[in-house]
Amino acid sequence: MMEPYKIKAVEPIPTTTRRKRERLIREAGYNVFNLAAEHVTVDLLTDSGTSAMSDRQWSRLMVGDESFAGSRSFFRLQKTVREIFGYRHLIPVHQARAAEHLLFTALVKPGDVVPSNMFFDTTRANVEHRGGRTVDLVIQEAYDPRCDYPFKGNIDLKRLHRLLDTESPERLPLAVLTITNNNGGGQPVSLANITEASKLLTAKGIPLYFDACRFAENAFFIKERERDQAQSSIAEIVAKIFACGQGCLVSAKKDGLANMGGFLATQNEKLAERVKEMLLLIEGFPTFGGLAGRDMEVMAVGFREVIDERYLSFRIGQVRELGEKLLAAGIPVLLPFGGHAVYVDAKAFLPHVPAEQFPASALSAALYVEAGVRAAEVGSLSGSHRDPESGQTVNPAMELLRLSVPRRVYTSAHLDVAVEALKKIYRRREKLRGLKVVHKGEILGHFTARLEVL
Ligand SMILES: Cc1ncc(COP(=O)(O)O)c(C=O)c1O
């Protein structure tokens, strides 16, 4: 397996001593989000906004049209979005959560119900911020880290059917399919499942929107795993996916191969007009949203580069190789490996640390101390919620440590640093202790939370 690109610019990687890292993680409240990047050696915290741009993307920076109104760069991006995603109306934003805010503000009223396969943190928070209720309907297999079902991002069609039968359509303003399902392990949704879900929703007049941050990776899995799609090109599969919905919100920081940017796209003209008014209020003029012209140029190139099959084959292969090395070392990992990340099963790794003591956060801190590798907690720190009826804290089904692989940034040798470190920690895993929260904010509090070792 060979990188399908040459490396043209390099950036030095910081190194630190173990002693220093022990101090730094303590000062960071055992939350790797609080660390300065200059103290991180291999940064697998996120694949968001961390891609390396291509020479073609860098060259477009000079071409960006920075006109306030009617920028050429907007029309170039609009053409790209229409060709690849098939949606007519484009609303550029600085990143996807602004698109979430705009879409849900326009559609969701207090008391509404919004079903999904599984919401990502910010999409969920934006629905709830509007007083809406989010319902995750991902298939049961998604909650079993050892089950290697090929489309663990699928929505459970029976449960969707039941929800559509029990809730009044006025209470259901839209449904969201997250492709790939980040919080469920970067798992894809099959085209067959998307098609069926779309039929059920259309029959009730409920629009389907995609949270399509990793649409190209999802399309690659469809080509690889869904037999009747093996002969289709990635572009054809992408077109088939989006033809099932009425619009999408996209973070260009993932499959846009850009460091910043995103958009909302829709077929619904009235909605687009309403959203553009709000865009003026919070982001900017409709032909730039929250972006510079050059950012839109970079996105337009990125969306074309990402649907290249050679690129995707290497990308998915590199993540898979990381997962296979961990699996071969006996480290419990979520199967199958995700598109953008490998998720270590922290519950199985640290069975003596209960969810209330944040095993994935404890593992994340240990990984940083061991080798300066940063990875993200996807477990009870970020995913627990209070049950509105009982008032009890409900922890998520899985405790995961997500090793996200930035696009076109690291080689196998870099990823091996994480593998070797996790092997060492696994050998002395009984010694690891849980954590307790000493500070956590109300909204998306895990990003800035501070913890202490128990
Ligand atoms: C599935 C999913 N949806 C939405 C978002 C939010 O995107 P952004 O960071 O551009 O606001 C993310 C970011 O990680 C994501 O993974």
Side-chain angles (χ1 to χ4, degrees):
M1 198 173 65
M2 175 189 90
E3 278 82 353
Y5 42 80
K6 289 195 285 182
I7 296 163
K8 208 168 199 163
V10 294
E11 180 185 323
I13 282 183
T15 51
T16 45
T17 62
R18 185 185 190 98
R19 224 174 140 164
K20 190 166 172 188
R21 291 194 295 273
E22 280 168 353
R23 176 174 60 77
L24 290 167
I25 196 73
R26 198 169 49 245
E27 287 171 4
Y30 295 89
N31 180 353
V32 294
F33 279 103
N34 294 332
L35 289 167
E38 64 171 319
H39 298 137
V40 177
T41 300
V42 177
D43 205 346
L44 308 183
L45 186 65
T46 175
D47 64 321
S48 179
T50 52
S51 303
M53 293 208 296
S54 70
D55 50 357
R56 276 178 295 168
Q57 285 177 300
W58 280 110
S59 73
R60 297 308 293 182
L61 291 178
M62 274 313 288
V63 183
D65 175 2
E66 307 304 343
S67 305
F68 185 91
S71 157
R72 262 192 328 270
S73 305
F74 170 81
F75 293 109
R76 198 167 286 125
L77 178 61
Q78 187 181 57
K79 183 167 179 285
T80 305
V81 168
R82 283 180 180 171
E83 281 172 19
I84 296 178
F85 298 84
Y87 299 134
R88 211 163 158 72
H89 306 284
L90 168 70
I91 291 110
V93 292
H94 76 282
Q95 64 180 99
R97 63 200 69 190
E100 294 160 13
H101 180 66
L102 290 164
L103 181 67
F104 301 138
T105 301
L107 294 181
V108 179
K109 301 182 300 305
D112 281 353
V113 177
V114 186
S116 172
N117 51 342
M118 191 183 274
F119 282 94
F120 177 69
D121 316 356
T122 57
T123 29
R124 188 187 306 285
N126 270 297
V127 172
E128 290 173 356
H129 187 62
R130 290 291 302 154
R133 182 160 66 87
T134 55
V135 186
D136 289 351
L137 295 175
V138 74
I139 55 170
Q140 219 36 50
E141 287 86 338
Y143 296 109
D144 176 1
R146 257 149 292 286
C147 167
D148 65 353
Y149 185 71
F151 289 105
K152 279 168 91 173
N154 280 359
I155 191 163
D156 186 327
L157 295 167
K158 276 200 193 124
R159 288 172 66 208
L160 177 63
H161 199 276
R162 216 174 306 138
L163 183 88
L164 297 182
D165 273 351
T166 48
E167 291 289 343
S168 113
E170 292 84 62
R171 280 263 166 253
L172 292 157
L174 79 161
V176 177
L177 276 181
T178 311
I179 57 171
T180 57
N181 178 14
N182 184 4
N183 279 19
Q187 302 294 318
V189 184
S190 74
L191 187 58
N193 187 258
I194 293 171
T195 309
E196 286 309 309
S198 164
K199 279 187 199 157
L200 290 177
L201 293 162
T202 308
K204 297 276 180 183
I206 296 158
L208 169 62
Y209 278 78
F210 293 95
D211 175 355
C213 296
R214 299 174 183 85
F215 70 99
E217 291 169 5
N218 199 101
F220 184 84
F221 282 125
I222 288 176
K223 183 172 170 66
E224 200 181 54
R225 298 179 184 173
E226 216 165 338
R227 204 167 297 151
D228 60 345
Q229 296 305 319
Q231 300 311 316
S232 307
S233 70
I234 297 294
E236 284 164 352
I237 295 171
V238 168
K240 288 180 209 174
I241 293 173
F242 292 109
C244 293
Q246 210 178 91
C248 63
L249 43 95
V250 171
S251 169
K253 299 172 75 174
K254 286 85 171 173
D255 273 353
L257 300 173
N259 302 123
M260 189 45 89
F263 67 80
L264 168 64
T266 178
Q267 291 294 69
N268 183 335
E269 189 172 352
K270 268 202 193 133
L271 175 76
E273 290 315 310
R274 207 148 26 108
V275 165
K276 278 182 205 168
E277 284 173 13
M278 278 191 286
L279 191 74
L280 281 162
L281 197 65
I282 62 167
E283 286 276 289
F285 195 74
T287 54
F288 65 81
L291 295 167
R294 56 180 172 271
D295 294 329
M296 293 190 280
E297 295 285 343
V298 162
M299 285 164 61
V301 177
F303 288 126
R304 289 192 194 281
E305 287 183 353
V306 83
I307 55 173
D308 172 48
E309 203 177 320
R310 263 183 84 214
Y311 157 78
L312 282 169
S313 170
F314 172 77
R315 161 80 179 152
I316 303 289
Q318 189 185 36
V319 174
R320 192 172 292 157
E321 185 184 72
L322 168 64
E324 274 161 5
K325 284 180 183 170
L326 292 170
L327 193 64
I331 292 167
V333 280
L334 185 138
L335 296 174
F337 309 123
H340 67 293
V342 174
Y343 294 64
V344 177
D345 179 354
K347 220 183 227 179
F349 197 113
L350 300 175
H352 59 288
V353 181
E356 296 69 36
Q357 296 179 12
F358 314 107
S361 301
L363 188 54
S364 155
L367 179 60
Y368 176 69
V369 170
E370 187 62 46
V373 176
R374 185 154 69 162
E377 184 266 4
V378 182
S380 43
L381 186 68
S382 55
S384 64
H385 68 275
R386 200 170 293 275
D387 182 71
E389 272 151 38
S390 67
Q392 302 278 332
T393 300
V394 182
N395 290 317
M398 294 187 287
E399 295 289 336
L400 304 169
L401 179 70
R402 188 188 68 187
L403 307 173
S404 302
V405 182
R407 295 168 182 80
R408 305 191 291 207
V409 171
Y410 290 125
T411 65
S412 293
H414 294 115
L415 301 183
D416 285 348
V417 176
V419 174
E420 291 310 313
L422 281 165
K423 280 195 212 167
K424 279 193 197 153
I425 300 168
Y426 195 57
R427 273 184 233 122
R428 55 172 173 78
R429 58 190 180 280
E430 298 83 16
K431 296 212 171 74
L432 251 63
R433 281 183 284 158
L435 303 168
K436 69 168 184 193
V437 169
V438 289
H439 163 79
K440 194 176 174 203
E442 277 291 307
I443 299 174
L444 297 168
H446 59 283
F447 284 120
T448 50
R450 300 188 66 81
L451 302 99
E452 271 173 10
V453 177
L454 279 163

